[in-house]
Amino acid sequence: MKSPVEQLVEQSRLVGADESLVLWGGGNNSVKTSASDLLGRTIEVMLIKSSGSDMKSIVPKQFPAVRLDYIAPLRDRQEMSDEEMVDYLARCLLDPGGPRPSIETLLHAFLPVPAVLHTHADAILAITNTRGREKTVRECFGHAMITVPYRRPGFRLSRDVAEAFDAKKSGIVLMNHGLLTWGATPMEAYERHMEVVTRAETFVWGRG
Ligand code: ZN
């Protein structure tokens, strides 16, 4: 059985090899697991892709662990500037010398599921950048997907996504931005991601 970080690396290579899913440095992925803190106590953490790393060539040390007990109380906040968020997340690192976690860390951390995958897949952008937007998403996926209106990436978007989350759906379409899927393992999140993207591609081709 591969360790959580090995599973993330494996998933990253699959995603990174497909340029219709992510370009250099794009997309991010995570898995929630447990770890030992400085005093040897077991704590819940999330391994998240670091800022500026590339999925195609990523290695285990580019997935820093952030403490979920420090992140959970942020759900109660209404606002947080990008600067404040980056500073806060740096202090959530299990290893203070680790790389900076993705700017989209809270999109992952706020979802109550083990593994999350986020890309800016071409086919999803093709559907959400059209006129009609939500209607087009509905035509393509029926009621299988959650849609979240466009908002600049940041704290408020993470809150919107957390509030819209519904474990019974197949994923979340972020309008004019991308796709989020989840699973019990990174591989499950990847398989769901590909099902959604394939359906979107078929839909787009069908429309010419
Ligand atoms: Zn994004």
Side-chain angles (χ1 to χ4, degrees):
M1 176 89 181
K2 289 191 165 84
S3 70
V5 76
E6 286 167 346
Q7 293 178 48
L8 277 178
V9 169
E10 180 183 36
Q11 182 205 47
S12 304
R13 295 285 159 80
L14 292 170
V15 174
D18 185 345
E19 288 194 344
S20 74
L21 290 180
V22 291
L23 296 175
W24 198 98
N28 38 66
N29 48 352
S30 68
V31 69
K32 298 178 184 77
T33 182
S34 52
S36 291
D37 73 2
L38 190 58
L39 302 177
R41 295 171 299 203
T42 301
I43 53 163
E44 297 304 307
V45 297
M46 180 176 75
L47 308 177
I48 174 83
K49 178 173 169 277
S50 58
S51 186
S53 54
D54 184 46
M55 282 192 169
K56 204 164 43 227
S57 58
I58 203 159
V59 293
K61 68 172 193 289
Q62 290 173 301
F63 287 101
V66 290
R67 294 183 63 131
L68 291 171
D69 56 341
Y70 288 179
I71 289 177
L74 296 180
R75 272 302 301 280
D76 299 331
R77 296 178 60 145
Q78 295 301 316
E79 279 289 358
M80 201 172 194
S81 70
D82 288 352
E83 197 183 16
E84 200 184 352
M85 189 171 70
V86 167
D87 188 51
Y88 190 98
L89 290 173
R91 289 154 192 264
C92 295
L93 284 170
L94 188 62
D95 172 3
R100 196 153 46 93
S102 164
I103 188 77
E104 295 187 302
T105 293
L106 296 183
L107 268 185
H108 296 248
F110 285 171
L111 295 184
V113 286
V116 177
L117 174 59
H118 170 49
T119 72
H120 310 127
D122 288 346
I124 298 298
L125 293 176
I127 287 177
T128 66
N129 292 359
T130 58
R131 262 187 299 155
R133 302 161 195 284
E134 269 86 358
K135 191 169 155 279
T136 312
V137 175
R138 197 70 65 217
E139 279 169 25
C140 175
F141 297 109
H143 293 278
M145 303 296 291
I146 301 160
T147 57
V148 171
Y150 180 78
R151 195 195 279 282
R152 192 185 66 78
F155 184 76
R156 292 285 299 278
L157 178 64
S158 305
R159 271 184 58 103
D160 288 354
V161 164
E163 275 159 26
F165 175 75
D166 176 350
K168 293 190 291 292
K169 304 280 185 172
S170 304
I172 300 176
V173 173
L174 305 175
M175 304 308 287
N176 304 74
H177 177 164
L179 174 65
L180 283 158
T181 59
W182 51 83
T185 61
M187 197 48 70
E188 196 176 293
Y190 171 76
E191 281 162 6
R192 285 193 191 155
H193 213 87
M194 294 317 294
E195 279 168 26
V196 173
V197 169
T198 303
R199 190 153 163 185
E201 283 170 351
T202 308
F203 180 83
V204 170
W205 291 334
R207 294 191 135 199

